[in-house]
């Protein structure tokens, strides 16, 4: 007998029939003799609709009331799933975040979980009652409902699993696992049996939207074993685990990409101490996240170029910040390009192998793809390329690292 947390995403509970299907799956797990807590998302599309309504009433609104509205999607699905379980003879009850309670900080709209007290729900679980818990929500220090940011139900599930020391947290979704790269682009992408927390963290933050990044962080910090699997098939999923559990480490496990990038270049900026501090300080003050940065060596010791990337949504604000700096900072002009993609190779095996990045550069060169910016970390190499080459780059790299399915 094991204690398990099962999480079902929006498409898995997208309508009443699907909720009944989830109930049957939960029943099967209960009948294997497990103690089960289930975390659910709102029906797919429901949260988007709720968010839309809040902005229609007022573009700028009280975020506490935003949370009051958007947290309701999950209230519907926990109640319906509890009923569906009871209908097929499985004792169950629903739990809102505040009833558990799942305590968060007061950052409405993107709150962080501070503590989860599972003693109440465990009482029922020990008696065979399934706890059906609302994902995405908690209660803030002021006693008001909070939400965890979009996709936050994954984080709710992992936090619950950590608090009740569950054997595993199974995340049921509409894909059957984590792939070596986006299977919609690369037909030969393979499902991974296992992936390390660190690799998953990179994949998640680089745009593979299977799990909310924060949930992976939490799982890594608390050693929660996570499995990603499909609620529509019986195929085994992908296990997210500690590095020690993976015997044969691939040099590159996955290739991620993000089209949500924009490139900005400051031409002929004075090559003096304090210039980078001025530029990036002003961007930080405007809450603009900068990702990749390159600064060229100045040939004459006078002027140089600085290139960096921001998210596409922030490009206009970033350009405004730079033009406001014109009095303080001497530069020739600003160039910007929103049509760029960041492609990254990820793998813990990189730590112990040489020549990994070189293979990437060669594969891209062979296809005539120009690399605009490079950044690296211990387990990742990222390059910025023109957006039109995204598909070609992904396919070539997938082959170059031997990841293609047979
Ligand atoms: N329903 C919320 C959302 O759509 C939370 C989740 O599904 O994870 O963002
Ligand atoms: Mg999700």
């Amino acid at each position: 007998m094991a204690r398990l947390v099962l999480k079902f995403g929006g498409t898995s509970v997208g309508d009443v029939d699907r909720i009944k299907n989830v109930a049957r799956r939960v029943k099967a797990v209960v009948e294997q003799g497990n103690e089960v807590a289930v975390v659910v998302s709102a029906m797919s599309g429901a949260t988007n609709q709720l968010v839309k309504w809040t902005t229609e009433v007022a573009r700028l609104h009280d975020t506490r009331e935003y949370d009051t509205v958007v947290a309701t999607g999950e209230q519907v699905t926990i109640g319906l799933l509890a009923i569906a379980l009871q209908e097929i003879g499985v004792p169950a009850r629903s739990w809102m975040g505040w009833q558990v309670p799942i305590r968060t900080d007061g950052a409405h709209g993107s709150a962080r979980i501070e503590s989860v007290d599972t003693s109440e729900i465990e009482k029922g679980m020990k008696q065979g009652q399934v706890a059906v818990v609302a994902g995405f929500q908690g209660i803030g220090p002021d006693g008001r409902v909070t939400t965890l940011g979009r996709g936050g139900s994954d984080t709710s599930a992992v936090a619950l699993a950590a608090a009740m020391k569950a054997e595993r947290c199974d995340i049921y979704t509409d894909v059957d696992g984590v792939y070596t790269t986006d299977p919609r682009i690369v037909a030969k992408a393979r499902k991974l049996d296992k992936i390390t927390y660190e690799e998953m963290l990179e994949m998640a933050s680089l745009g593979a939207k299977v799990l909310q990044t924060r949930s992976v962080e939490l799982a890594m910090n608390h050693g929660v074993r996570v499995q990603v699997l499909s609620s529509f098939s019986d195929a085994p999923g992908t296990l997210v685990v500690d590095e020690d559990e993976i015997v044969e480490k691939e040099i590159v496990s996955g290739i991620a990409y993000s089209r949500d990038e924009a490139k900005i270049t400051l031409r002929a900026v004075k090559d003096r101490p304090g210039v980078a501090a001025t530029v990036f300080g002003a961007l930080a003050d405007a809450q603009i996240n900068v990702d990749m940065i390159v600064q060229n060596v100045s040939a004459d010791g006078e002027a140089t170029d600085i290139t960096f990337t921001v998210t596409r949504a922030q490009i206009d604000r970033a350009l405004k910040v730079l033009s406001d700096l014109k009095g303080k900072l001497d530069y020739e002009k600003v160039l910007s390009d929103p049509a760029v993609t960041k492609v990254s190779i990820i793998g813990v095996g990189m730590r112990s192998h040489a020549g990994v990045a070189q293979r990437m550069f060669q594969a891209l060169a062979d296809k005539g793809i120009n690399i605009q910016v490079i950044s690296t970390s211990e387990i990742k190499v990222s390059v910025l390329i023109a957006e039109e080459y995204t598909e070609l780059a992904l396919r070539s790299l997938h082959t170059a690292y031997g990841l293609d399915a047979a």
Side-chain angles (χ1 to χ4, degrees):
M1 189 185 98
R3 178 174 284 182
L4 298 173
V5 174
L6 315 182
K7 183 257 169 180
F8 293 89
T11 40
S12 305
V13 295
D15 59 36
V16 166
D17 283 333
R18 289 185 172 183
I19 289 174
K20 288 179 180 171
N21 172 50
V22 167
R24 285 189 291 272
R25 284 202 169 253
V26 173
K27 182 178 185 174
V29 178
V30 171
E31 283 176 346
Q32 285 157 15
N34 300 301
E35 266 178 29
V36 178
V38 183
V39 173
V40 286
S41 292
M43 289 184 182
S44 57
T47 310
N48 286 346
Q49 177 60 258
L50 295 166
V51 170
K52 190 158 166 272
W53 282 332
T54 60
T55 52
E56 278 170 13
V57 175
R59 275 194 68 82
L60 282 178
H61 43 252
D62 183 345
T63 54
R64 292 163 299 189
E65 303 306 349
Y66 165 94
D67 278 349
T68 302
V69 176
V70 301
T72 58
E74 275 74 9
Q75 180 165 354
V76 174
T77 47
I78 53 171
L80 291 175
L81 180 57
I83 295 172
L85 283 164
Q86 291 166 7
E87 275 296 294
I88 54 174
V90 181
R93 80 151 268 197
S94 64
W95 297 84
M96 301 280 285
W98 62 268
Q99 291 171 318
V100 174
I102 295 172
R103 296 194 187 282
T104 72
D105 64 16
H108 285 276
S110 60
R112 280 185 170 268
I113 296 178
E114 289 188 332
S115 68
V116 182
D117 180 355
T118 52
S119 50
E120 276 307 308
I121 67 175
E122 282 183 46
K123 279 184 199 159
M125 286 169 64
K126 285 192 181 114
Q127 249 119 78
Q129 184 187 61
V130 173
V132 185
V133 180
F136 183 51
Q137 55 171 261
I139 180 168
D142 54 357
R144 303 199 55 173
V145 171
T146 53
T147 64
L148 309 179
R150 298 306 304 273
S153 299
D154 296 335
T155 302
S156 309
V158 171
L160 208 63
M164 59 170 68
K165 302 200 166 33
E167 195 107 323
R168 208 175 58 233
C169 181
D170 283 344
I171 310 258
Y172 286 88
T173 172
D174 49 2
V175 293
D176 57 359
V178 180
Y179 278 73
T180 47
T181 194
D182 189 339
R184 288 167 303 184
I185 294 181
V186 181
K188 289 180 176 164
R190 273 190 294 119
K191 187 172 75 184
L192 295 162
D193 297 331
K194 286 186 179 172
I195 186 169
T196 69
Y197 293 119
E198 276 180 277
E199 290 167 334
M200 191 62 225
L201 203 53
E202 294 286 2
M203 297 277 262
S205 56
L206 287 168
K209 293 188 178 59
V210 205
L211 292 175
Q212 198 198 32
T213 308
R214 227 186 251 181
S215 72
V216 185
E217 250 164 38
L218 200 64
M220 179 160 88
N221 294 340
H222 294 268
V224 176
R225 291 162 60 83
V226 172
Q227 180 178 208
V228 178
L229 67 176
S230 165
S231 59
F232 304 112
S233 88
D234 288 317
T238 301
L239 268 178
V240 189
V241 293
D242 209 77
E243 214 174 310
D244 317 336
E245 280 197 47
I246 300 182
V247 190
E248 261 191 64
K249 294 180 187 63
E250 302 272 2
I251 296 173
V252 168
S253 303
I255 302 169
Y257 69 101
S258 163
R259 294 184 201 264
D260 186 24
E261 306 277 328
K263 183 180 74 166
I264 296 177
T265 300
L266 269 176
R267 279 294 297 277
V269 63
K270 283 276 168 297
D271 194 8
R272 281 201 300 272
V275 168
T278 305
V279 172
F280 297 109
L283 291 165
D285 289 343
Q287 309 287 332
I288 294 166
N289 271 325
V290 172
D291 180 18
M292 310 169 96
I293 302 175
V294 277
Q295 180 180 326
N296 297 330
V297 182
S298 56
D300 53 2
E302 279 298 311
T304 184
D305 296 346
I306 299 178
T307 297
F308 58 92
T309 62
V310 297
T311 61
R312 264 183 218 178
Q314 292 193 313
I315 189 165
D316 290 338
R317 276 172 55 210
L319 292 173
K320 168 94 170 48
V321 168
L322 295 175
S323 78
D324 290 349
L325 277 181
K326 193 72 196 178
K328 274 215 248 161
L329 193 75
D330 198 3
Y331 61 83
E332 188 193 306
K333 62 179 167 191
V334 181
L335 305 171
S336 67
D337 181 1
V340 288
T341 298
K342 182 170 71 169
V343 175
S344 311
I345 54 168
I346 297 155
V348 288
M350 250 180 240
R351 289 201 196 103
S352 48
H353 284 84
V356 180
Q358 156 59 19
R359 203 189 300 178
M360 178 183 210
F361 305 152
Q362 192 60 54
L364 296 172
D366 290 347
K367 298 290 177 198
I369 301 172
N370 188 38
I371 299 171
Q372 304 181 6
V373 184
I374 302 170
S375 75
T376 63
S377 78
E378 225 191 344
I379 66 159
K380 172 186 81 177
V381 182
S382 302
V383 296
L384 197 71
I385 60 171
E387 187 182 12
E388 59 198 287
Y389 295 120
T390 308
E391 287 83 3
L392 182 61
L394 288 179
R395 289 191 198 113
S396 314
L397 293 171
H398 202 262
T399 305
Y401 288 101
L403 295 174
D404 289 352

